[in-house]
């Protein structure tokens, strides 16, 4: 009988922290921690960003869906907007060495410069470790994590699955919508959407 | 020597198809059509070996082809009638695809008072993938004559009839029911006659994003009844109303109905406890 209040508190704490399912993080669950090197050699852990919104963006520079968003400047503008809102945007490359989209750190740095990439960093996830945690399927794909570490969005960049730049002005950007609602303390209306794009080249 | 042969074969292909991995054209079952008489046409996409395009549900990556018609006044075109695709599993990413050649059928209906000849125009867009993907598009034209009696196209009439006959269709030989319990959809298939029992190799291809294409589908048979457990996709909306898709025989095989796929479109019920 005495143990009951303790158990109750324990359960409440667990509920507040969200539920973890092994090494994967579905929407509504707390992300497991991971650590990866970025293209300038800095080590980044997702736990370093507790207290901030984090956006993960899967990319592959040779994928036509990625080209749609980078060639038009839409991805860079979205990254800039997220930064203004106070979020940390991390671009992730999960392509295995030799596969399409893989780049060595210096190639990534040159690409970031030439494409004016506005994310905080590009992470090297050559072993696909981070990609598998969120089951990233496509490039681009977006995951939004709230300041408590809970995944609040996983899916497409927007609601127009195409390679057409002409579709961008009429698209709803799900990354920004999730940040906006999440930062306003609201539940994210579109918390999942089927990501569209090229397959991640694990 | 082998290299040379392969190279020559590649050259022949390149000569036939240019540098592009795929090319599209419009083909018609009739060269001369009758006013008011519906007829079949197809968007034909030819692909070089190793390349593929996508079904109406591309699966976990890719994009479905689209066609935008620019038809004379009074003409109508049906949506694409999608043939049964193949399940492609590339490094655990599952897509529903077509390889080599796809004939995407549509039914066109000219108005009763139409006169000819006419030039039907359409813009097709598609994504063609091997390891990487390339977006492609083509502005296509199909010239047709109009007369009191129709004249079949000698090259395409029979091919389009075969393609039409092979399209997946609903079947009265089975009753389907679907139940949802948390993240799993149970698809129960009851044949009208015991000899129509399905092999354990059947698969369900979801027509939309509610089912996870790469998740294992466990198939159980009890007597003639078959039960498929389908994993809800993590991208499925909270409320899922209907289960839509195809029940498909393994590649090269057929279902007891003699077709390679059956169309399913049923409500998803909540299991009573």
């Amino acid at each position: 009988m005495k143990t009951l209040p303790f158990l109750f508190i324990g359960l409440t704490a667990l509920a507040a922290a969200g539920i973890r399912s092994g090494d994967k993080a579905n929407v509504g669950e707390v992300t497991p921690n991971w650590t990866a090197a970025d293209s300038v050699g800095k080590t980044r852990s997702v736990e370093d960003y507790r207290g901030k919104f984090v956006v993960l963006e899967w990319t592959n520079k040779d994928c036509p869906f990625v080209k749609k968003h980078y060639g038009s400047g839409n991805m860079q503008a979205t990254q800039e907007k997220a930064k203004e809102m106070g979020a940390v945007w991390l671009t992730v490359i999960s392509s295995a060495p030799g596969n399409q989209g893989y780049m060595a750190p210096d190639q990534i740095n040159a690409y970031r410069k030439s494409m004016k990439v506005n994310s905080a960093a590009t992470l090297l996830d050559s072993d696909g470790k981070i990609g598998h945690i969120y089951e990233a399927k496509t490039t681009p794909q977006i995951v939004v994590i709230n300041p408590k570490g809970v995944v609040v969005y996983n899916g497409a960049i927007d609601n127009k699955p195409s390679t057409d730049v002409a579709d961008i002005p009429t698209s709803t950007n799900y990354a920004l919508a999730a940040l906006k609602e999440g930062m306003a303390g609201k539940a994210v209306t579109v918390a999942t959407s089927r990501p569209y794009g090229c397959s991640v080249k694990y | 020597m082998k290299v040379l042969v392969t190279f020559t074969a590649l050259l022949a292909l390149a000569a036939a198809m240019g540098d592009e991995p795929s090319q599209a054209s419009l083909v018609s079952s009739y060269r001369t059509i009758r006013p008011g008489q519906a007829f079949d046409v197809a968007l034909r996409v030819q692909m070089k070996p190793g390349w593929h395009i996508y079904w109406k549900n591309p699966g976990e990556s890719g994009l479905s082809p689209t066609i935008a018609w620019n038809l004379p006044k009074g003409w109508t075109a049906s949506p694409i009638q999608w043939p049964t695709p193949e399940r492609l599993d590339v490094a655990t990413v599952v897509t529903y695809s077509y390889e080599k050649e796809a004939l995407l059928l549509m039914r066109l209906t000219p108005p009763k008072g139409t006169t000819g000849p006419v030039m039907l125009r359409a813009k097709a867009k598609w994504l063609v993938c091997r390891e990487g993907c390339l977006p492609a598009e083509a502005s296509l034209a199909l010239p047709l004559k109009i007369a009191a009696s129709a004249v079949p196209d000698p090259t395409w009439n029979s091919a389009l009839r075969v393609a039409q006959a092979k399209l997946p269709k609903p079947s009265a030989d089975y009753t389907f029911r679907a139940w949802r319990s948390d993240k799993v959809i149970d698809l129960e298939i009851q044949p009208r006659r015991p000899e129509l029992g399905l092999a354990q190799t059947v698969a369900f291809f979801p027509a939309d994003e509610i089912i996870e294409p790469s998740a294992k589908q466990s198939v159980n048979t009890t007597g003639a009844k078959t039960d498929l457990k389908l994993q809800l996709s993590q991208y499925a909306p909270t409320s899922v109303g209907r289960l839509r898709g195809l029940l498909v025989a393994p590649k090269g095989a057929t279902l007891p109905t003699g077709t390679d796929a059956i169309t399913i479109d049923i409500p998803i019920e909540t299991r009573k406890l």
Side-chain angles (χ1 to χ4, degrees):
Chain A
M1 200 59 194
K2 262 184 187 167
T3 58
L4 201 60
F6 177 75
L7 185 70
F8 184 68
I9 292 161
L11 281 174
T12 315
L14 197 68
I19 302 150
R20 240 183 230 194
S21 57
D23 54 355
K24 297 217 187 298
N26 291 322
V27 168
E29 297 176 347
V30 173
T31 178
N33 192 31
W34 47 255
T35 299
D38 70 17
S39 62
V40 295
K42 193 177 161 190
T43 301
R44 310 253 180 182
S45 292
V46 70
E47 280 180 355
D48 296 345
Y49 302 106
R50 287 296 147 87
K52 288 189 170 186
F53 275 85
V54 177
V55 180
L56 304 177
E57 170 226 340
W58 269 263
T59 201
N60 163 356
K61 71 171 172 42
D62 296 317
C63 164
F65 295 88
V66 170
K67 287 181 182 169
K68 167 192 176 187
H69 291 287
Y70 273 102
S72 62
N74 181 53
M75 193 62 86
Q76 298 91 324
T78 308
Q79 292 161 345
E80 184 64 32
K81 194 85 197 286
K83 190 160 68 181
E84 283 167 16
M85 293 166 85
V88 179
W89 189 296
L90 301 171
T91 303
V92 185
I93 299 178
S94 295
S95 298
N99 283 357
Q100 192 197 58
Y102 174 82
M103 287 190 276
D106 53 340
Q107 292 172 304
I108 297 175
N109 293 333
Y111 176 79
R112 287 181 60 88
K113 202 173 164 190
S114 71
M115 294 303 287
K116 300 185 168 65
V117 177
N118 277 325
S119 62
T122 298
L123 306 182
L124 286 85
D125 184 40
S126 314
D127 59 0
K129 188 180 64 189
I130 306 173
H132 290 303
I133 290 174
Y134 307 97
E135 294 182 79
K137 302 268 193 211
T138 67
T139 54
Q141 183 162 338
I142 300 289
V143 167
V144 179
I145 300 166
N146 78 8
K148 288 177 178 159
V150 177
V151 178
V152 293
Y153 178 74
N154 187 346
I157 172 78
D158 62 29
N159 66 339
K160 292 267 172 82
S162 80
T163 54
D164 252 341
V165 171
D167 286 330
I168 293 173
T170 54
S171 302
T172 301
N173 188 304
Y174 287 141
L176 292 179
L179 286 177
K180 213 169 167 182
E181 289 178 323
M183 286 178 179
K186 292 179 191 160
V188 174
T189 313
V190 181
T192 56
S193 68
R194 177 166 55 171
Y196 71 84
C198 306
S199 58
V200 175
K201 313 299 179 198
Y202 289 114
Chain B
M1 194 58 197
K2 196 174 177 184
V3 174
L4 190 70
V5 171
T6 314
F7 185 65
T8 314
L10 274 175
L11 273 183
L13 250 177
M17 294 189 61
D19 291 334
E20 300 298 325
S22 64
Q23 65 174 30
S25 56
L26 286 174
V27 294
S28 173
S29 52
Y30 289 89
R31 266 188 183 175
T32 302
I33 56 148
R34 287 171 54 200
Q37 183 82 46
F39 63 102
D40 280 339
V41 296
L43 171 64
R44 178 189 187 211
V45 183
Q46 294 166 276
M47 293 152 265
K48 284 185 180 169
W51 293 83
H52 60 268
I53 62 166
Y54 297 94
W55 189 41
K56 63 179 173 182
N57 175 12
E60 293 172 334
S61 67
L63 195 66
S64 307
T66 60
I67 187 161
W69 286 98
N70 182 4
L71 295 170
K73 196 167 176 283
W75 284 66
T76 56
S78 78
I80 292 171
Q81 298 168 285
W82 300 91
T84 307
E86 279 177 36
R87 182 184 189 275
L88 275 190
D89 187 340
V90 180
T92 76
V93 175
V94 170
T95 58
Y96 302 111
S97 308
Y98 306 108
E99 293 181 307
K100 299 184 185 105
E101 179 184 56
L103 286 174
L104 305 178
L105 285 168
M106 287 157 283
R107 182 149 286 187
L108 295 185
T109 311
K112 284 207 174 80
T114 193
T115 52
V118 286
M119 184 66 86
L120 307 180
R121 295 180 191 281
K123 186 157 195 177
K125 291 184 182 184
W126 69 98
L127 186 75
V128 61
C129 300
R130 187 169 51 184
E131 281 136 35
C133 300
L134 291 169
E137 60 175 66
S139 294
L140 306 170
L142 178 67
L144 291 174
K145 289 178 191 149
I146 296 168
S149 55
V151 180
D153 183 288
T155 316
W156 290 104
N157 188 275
S158 64
L160 296 198
R161 261 190 291 132
V162 169
Q164 178 65 245
K166 282 190 72 179
L167 285 177
K169 290 173 188 67
S171 169
D173 288 330
Y174 299 88
T175 46
F176 299 103
R177 288 186 80 179
W179 284 278
R180 177 181 180 175
S181 46
D182 193 28
K183 297 279 183 201
V184 175
I185 301 228
D186 234 318
L187 172 62
E188 192 188 276
I189 307 160
Q190 182 73 58
R192 300 265 191 231
R193 297 189 304 278
E195 65 270 26
L196 292 167
L198 297 166
Q200 294 228 330
T201 47
V202 291
F204 180 77
F205 291 3
D208 47 39
E209 70 262 37
I210 71 165
I211 303 295
E212 187 85 46
S214 58
K216 189 183 170 340
Q217 300 181 352
S218 67
V219 185
N220 282 297
T221 48
T222 324
K225 197 174 85 176
T226 301
D227 194 73
L228 270 85
K229 294 230 185 307
L230 311 170
Q231 187 72 40
L232 263 192
S233 160
Q234 59 166 319
Y235 311 114
T238 338
S239 143
V240 289
R242 293 186 80 80
L243 183 69
R244 296 189 181 93
L246 301 178
L247 188 70
V248 183
K251 193 178 172 179
T254 53
L255 298 170
T257 50
T259 58
D260 57 10
I262 297 171
T263 307
I264 295 175
D265 183 353
I266 51 172
I268 298 169
E269 305 168 52
T270 311
R271 178 98 66 183
K272 284 192 190 81
L273 293 171

